[in-house]
Amino acid sequence: MEINLMRKDYAIAQTYCSWLLKNTPDLHVDLYKNASKIYEARVDQEEDKPKDSQDKDLIQALKDTALSIYDNRINYFGNEAYVLDRKGKIAYKYMYKKKSNYPALHGLYQKIVDLNGTQTNAVNVTYFVKVIVREYKYDLLTKDSTISKYLQLHD
């Protein structure tokens, strides 16, 4: 897996990584670090293809797996605040296009901010603000709730 990762042969690395995640999920935290790189690179590879040759189902499956890798890493190796802060960096771009994802995104970014406080990665605060604004536009949050959340983040 490591050699294929270094060669940027992510499709082959994914095969080995998938087997390891399924059969030895508690092997080592590095498995999850490398798995994140592999699956995120596979999403990029598939999305870089011409639109007419993209497999939307494959892309969605790769995104779902990439996000679940962070949850499984927490499950086996802890360090929830740090790992969720990393997950937040990709969650928005993987999920923002569907209105139905906004409650989950809101919950994720709220948890990231609650756990990390002022140490929250700046991009995750930005994404949280974007989530709040879109929730307001979609009538999922009231004006008062939107302003309250924004002020909480500003503080």
Side-chain angles (χ1 to χ4, degrees), residues 73-134:
R73 178 176 169 182
I74 292 166
N75 184 45
Y76 289 103
F77 299 101
N79 205 3
E80 183 177 30
Y82 172 79
V83 176
L84 284 180
D85 207 31
R86 294 190 59 81
K87 179 181 180 179
K89 292 178 184 179
I90 65 163
Y92 183 81
K93 69 180 182 175
Y94 285 4
M95 298 173 68
Y96 81 95
K97 292 180 182 177
K98 291 184 183 174
K99 179 181 176 181
S100 62
N101 287 337
Y102 278 84
L105 282 169
H106 186 111
L108 172 66
Y109 289 109
Q110 183 67 60
K111 190 168 187 177
I112 290 169
V113 169
D114 289 346
L115 291 172
N116 289 287
T118 59
Q119 300 303 309
T120 302
N121 190 295
V123 74
N124 288 330
V125 175
T126 300
Y127 287 153
F128 196 10
V129 169
K130 287 181 176 189
V131 167
I132 292 166
V133 168
R134 285 200 180 218

Side-chain angles (χ1 to χ4, degrees), residues 4-5 8-15 37-38 41-42 45:
N4 294 309
L5 183 57
K8 297 185 179 183
D9 192 348
Y10 300 113
I12 292 175
Q14 178 192 347
T15 303
K37 292 175 193 172
I38 291 166
R42 288 284 292 126
Q45 282 180 332

Side-chain angles (χ1 to χ4, degrees), residues 142-154:
T142 65
K143 186 176 185 176
D144 289 341
S145 294
T146 303
I147 292 169
S148 175
K149 287 287 182 184
Y150 174 78
L151 292 174
Q152 174 195 4
L153 290 171
H154 187 270

Side-chain angles (χ1 to χ4, degrees), residues 1-6 9-42 61-62 65-70 72-73 76-77:
M1 180 173 81
E2 190 72 31
I3 291 170
N4 294 309
L5 183 57
M6 290 179 356
D9 192 348
Y10 300 113
I12 292 175
Q14 178 192 347
T15 303
Y16 297 117
C17 182
S18 176
W19 187 91
L20 288 169
L21 289 168
K22 180 179 179 185
N23 294 291
T24 62
D26 58 349
L27 179 67
H28 195 274
V29 70
D30 285 348
L31 171 60
Y32 292 91
K33 292 176 183 178
N34 288 327
S36 297
K37 292 175 193 172
I38 291 166
Y39 279 87
E40 290 167 34
R42 288 284 292 126
L62 290 169
T65 301
L67 292 169
S68 72
I69 285 168
Y70 290 98
N72 289 330
R73 178 176 169 182
Y76 289 103
F77 299 101

